[in-house]
Amino acid sequence: MSATELTALLIFCTAMSFSPGPNTTLSTALAANFGLRRALRFCLAVPTGWTMLMLASGLGVGALIAGVPPLRWAVKLLGVAYMLWLAWQLARTARLSQADPARLQVGFWQGVGLQFINIKAWMLALTLSAGWVVSSAGAPAPNPGERLFIVCLVMLFFAFVSNFLYALIGSLLRDWLAQGARLLWFNRALSGVLVVTALWMLTV
């Protein structure tokens, strides 16, 4: 992979990873409600799931989902339903003392699974596959396996760093959020982000 391609990949991954989305929103919410240690499992789950999804996309599963409308809609609807459920659970927590881990059941394996029902993640994986894995400067790449490995390493790094940063911000806000109704409105704002993201996914 040339320096130009790698630079473009880094810029693209930075923009996609650090922009608010379901993963970063949940990282923030988990850390704000349960602390950084609890959120760390999810922060590790996202890059794990993303790498698995990227490998699946590179092997053709992503193209299959994108090319078969019933499969595409199944992924969309499952992802939307799950995010709306998470938004509802999150919006019900008003105080740190009421934060119940059973409500936000987003542990390691749930975080991994979330990547596979996120149609936005599949479309991103397809974009990376088409732009950086199977092609090079508009021509078929002679080394797609090597390029897939590089893309997976880059996404592994960005997926963890972006989610950990959002979780760190959430954990730093815990003391401030413990006062009055701040946590309630913070959680409702984050649940609103999840709802908007879920509805946006229907248009992808």
Side-chain angles (χ1 to χ4, degrees):
M1 188 177 293
S2 68
T4 300
E5 288 178 298
L6 184 58
T7 300
L9 175 63
L10 293 175
I11 293 173
F12 179 76
C13 290
T14 299
M16 296 304 297
S17 299
F18 286 93
S19 57
N23 289 326
T24 52
T25 301
L26 285 172
S27 293
T28 308
L30 289 169
N33 286 273
F34 307 112
L36 185 61
R37 184 175 179 179
R38 166 75 196 281
L40 188 58
R41 286 181 291 174
F42 183 73
C43 293
L44 292 171
V46 174
T48 301
W50 235 105
T51 302
M52 294 168 63
L53 184 141
M54 190 66 224
L55 289 171
S57 179
L59 294 173
V61 178
L64 176 65
I65 290 176
V68 180
L71 281 177
R72 183 184 173 98
W73 274 102
V75 171
K76 278 188 181 184
L77 295 178
L78 278 173
V80 167
Y82 186 58
M83 279 195 279
L84 290 177
W85 180 81
L86 287 173
W88 169 247
Q89 298 299 319
L90 182 60
R92 295 165 58 196
T93 301
R95 289 182 173 81
L96 292 177
S97 59
Q98 297 175 342
D100 181 4
R103 279 190 182 179
L104 282 176
Q105 296 181 16
V106 191
F108 181 82
W109 292 112
Q110 288 83 2
V112 170
L114 177 61
Q115 310 315 306
F116 287 87
I117 56 173
N118 183 348
I119 195 66
K120 176 186 175 184
W122 278 112
M123 295 301 103
L124 177 56
L126 280 173
T127 300
L128 289 168
S129 295
W132 282 272
V133 175
V134 299
S135 65
S136 174
N143 54 344
E146 177 184 326
R147 297 168 74 87
L148 178 60
F149 178 73
I150 293 172
V151 169
C152 284
L153 281 182
V154 170
M155 282 307 303
L156 189 70
F157 173 79
F158 277 95
F160 174 76
V161 172
S162 60
N163 282 278
F164 182 76
L165 179 61
Y166 274 83
L168 184 61
I169 292 171
S171 68
L172 292 174
L173 291 174
R174 273 175 65 80
D175 289 340
W176 183 79
L177 292 171
Q179 303 174 36
R182 291 173 179 173
L183 183 67
L184 174 64
W185 292 108
F186 181 78
N187 284 338
R188 287 181 175 176
L190 292 181
S191 68
V193 173
L194 287 176
V195 170
V196 170
T197 303
L199 296 177
W200 174 81
M201 278 172 53
L202 290 173
T203 67
V204 176

